[in-house]
Amino acid sequence: MAARSDQLSSADCRGLADLHIRCLPDSLVSKLGRRYAEAFYRYIARSRQEFAFVHREAGQILSACILSLSPKTLDRRLVTGTSLLFFAALRMLRLPMGKPVTKPMPQKRLSAGGAPGDGGAALDSAPEVILLYTAAESRNRSLGSAVLERCESFLFAQGLRHYTVKTLDDDANRALRYYARQGFVERRRFRKHGKAYQLLEKRLTGQEKTRRTRDGHGQVGRG
């Protein structure tokens, strides 16, 4: 069977919005509210540059991996393709009067000791897994690893041989250990919106074996 992504129905978008908010309550998508979360997944469903890989049981989605082939333009496309600005403005209006709003900090790239020849341009244009999460009650069953492996098979079938993820640069972030077990290598550290992140890269050989690892990842990328 050819490697392919999943088609998302309207019911899937509603289910993913709920699951996203439960798994990633501190993400921007979650903070903008359920209506925006559902709009976000409707955009993913119709996009030709984003792809979804999900694990279902009894019709319920328990784990999801969202891939972008054009991560550099995703924020701009979300502005024009969803009601992002409206929901962001609405959230600002709901903030208590007098409460300071944290301004985004300028992005700062830090040396990460990447391998020689790993240029920044190649990393910035690489496909990116922007979201990877699993329902709390279904973790430690390798469901996240399963959808990630499907994503990798899809990438390899498209002739793409590497991809990236972003995750919090924090020793308490279990995602760092998870991705290390999956074969990712740190390429860059940077700050965005006042938080420190790591950019990780994985190169695909077509010989990746199924791993039975503990699925203990947390927030990834824009999620």
Side-chain angles (χ1 to χ4, degrees), residues 8 12 18 23 26 41 46 54 59 75 83 90-91 112 120 129 143 155 161 168 182 187-189 201-202 213 215 219:
L8 300 179
D12 290 335
D18 288 337
C23 294
D26 294 329
Y41 282 101
R46 67 177 183 270
V54 302
D75 287 342
S83 301
L90 187 62
R91 178 172 178 264
V129 167
L143 301 187
L155 285 166
R161 296 297 181 264
L168 289 172
Q182 296 293 321
R187 295 303 187 201
R188 184 185 302 156
R189 297 183 183 184
E201 179 191 29
K202 182 174 180 179
T213 57
D215 189 11
Q219 179 175 337

Side-chain angles (χ1 to χ4, degrees), residues 114-180:
D118 288 332
L123 286 175
D124 291 340
S125 62
E128 180 185 336
V129 167
I130 60 171
L131 289 165
L132 177 62
Y133 55 87
T134 299
E137 64 275 13
S138 299
R139 290 175 186 166
N140 301 323
R141 295 176 50 200
S142 296
L143 301 187
S145 298
V147 291
L148 188 63
E149 286 163 6
R150 288 187 54 211
C151 174
E152 291 180 351
S153 295
F154 174 83
L155 285 166
F156 198 86
Q158 305 302 312
L160 299 166
R161 296 297 181 264
H162 72 130
Y163 72 106
T164 65
V165 298
K166 297 183 181 77
T167 192
L168 289 172
D169 184 14
D170 185 334
D171 289 341
N173 180 13
R174 293 181 298 174
L176 291 173
R177 295 185 292 277
Y178 171 81
Y179 286 122

Side-chain angles (χ1 to χ4, degrees), residues 6 16 42 78 193 215:
D6 292 302
L16 282 168
R42 287 199 302 269
L78 286 173
H193 303 317
D215 189 11

Side-chain angles (χ1 to χ4, degrees), residues 16-57:
L16 282 168
D18 288 337
L19 184 59
H20 182 126
I21 291 171
R22 294 203 310 272
C23 294
L24 304 169
D26 294 329
S27 70
L28 176 61
V29 169
S30 298
K31 289 180 177 180
L32 292 181
R34 191 191 180 285
R35 287 178 59 194
Y36 178 73
E38 188 174 333
F40 172 83
Y41 282 101
R42 287 199 302 269
Y43 178 84
I44 296 298
R46 67 177 183 270
S47 173
R48 295 184 179 181
Q49 299 175 73
E50 279 71 47
F51 301 88
F53 305 87
V54 302
H55 177 86
R56 307 172 191 265
E57 290 183 7

